[in-house]
Amino acid sequence: MLKTGVEETMKNTVVTFQQAKEKGEKLTMLTAYDYSTAKLVDEAGINAILVGDSLGMVMLGYEDTLSVTMEDMIHHSAAVARGAKNTLLITDMPFMSYQTSVYDAVVNAGRLVKEGRAQAVKLEGGVEVCDHIRAIVNASIPVCAHLGLTPQSVNAFGGFKVQGKGEEAAQKLLDAARAVEEAGAFAVVLECVPQALAEKITKSVGIPTIGIGAGAGCDGQVLVYQDMLAMYSDMAPKFVKQFAQIGSQMKEAFLAYKKEVAEGTFPAQEHTFKMDESIIDRLY
Ligand code: KIV
């Protein structure tokens, strides 16, 4: 049989994202920050893994995403890349890795691809980052935009708040979505915007919208995996659905382990290695 190079399970790319929009097929994206989680997400057939800078909060314990470095993102992205076969790997550009200049944006996007093995990068902002998006796309690196509640602007917003509620703010977000599409973004994340506005944006742009706290009218959805598995308890956003109680299951397992070690029931015989015990008798 001829080797065509065509895999049995389709590899997700920016092209399949565009095709999904055209066919009206919903896209799924989840975050991952390590090899084992990436493998599970990949095996579940999720379209894209986002190595989000949310790792600063859910993995590193910061109160926001602002302290995350390029080195953090590269380290976690490379680990995820080793576990992700068929999902599209998108890695976040951390705070101040692109805002400083178009040049910095291209250099740092390049590092995420070369060292972090990302297949696309995500950055936050609208009209003010269009030159950056254009330059990164011109370097053949696909860009996912991110609008609405952009967590790197938490200090400018005065907290993690829903965006685009008033007429002026809503128009600004719609204009921004059109602008990032025009600049060459292949998709746009809409975070914490009213459902009706997310629907309007979704109908107004030709690229897929990926919602988080933006309702079901988007072309796809993204969640932070620790949120949807109830593993992160520092914050409980209204838009999160807990699909499993893995946090409490983990805690129960840790308690059971502690108890069995204390009681001497773990390790049991089946967890041990055998040897010729006459050797023990000859030891002095
Ligand atoms: O960093 C992240 O995980 C994100 C998602 C919340 C979209 O940007």
Side-chain angles (χ1 to χ4, degrees), residues 31 33 50 52-55 65 92 122 124 146 189 191 212 222 224:
T31 64
Y33 317 94
L50 173 66
D53 61 355
S54 51
L55 78 84
T65 59
D92 257 344
K122 178 167 79 59
E124 299 180 5
H146 185 160
V189 167
E191 179 164 354
I212 174 162
V222 57
V224 171

Side-chain angles (χ1 to χ4, degrees), residues 192-215:
C192 272
V193 301
Q195 171 163 303
L197 176 60
E199 268 176 33
K200 171 77 181 167
I201 293 174
T202 300
K203 286 185 190 134
S204 306
V205 294
I207 55 174
T209 58
I210 310 294
I212 174 162

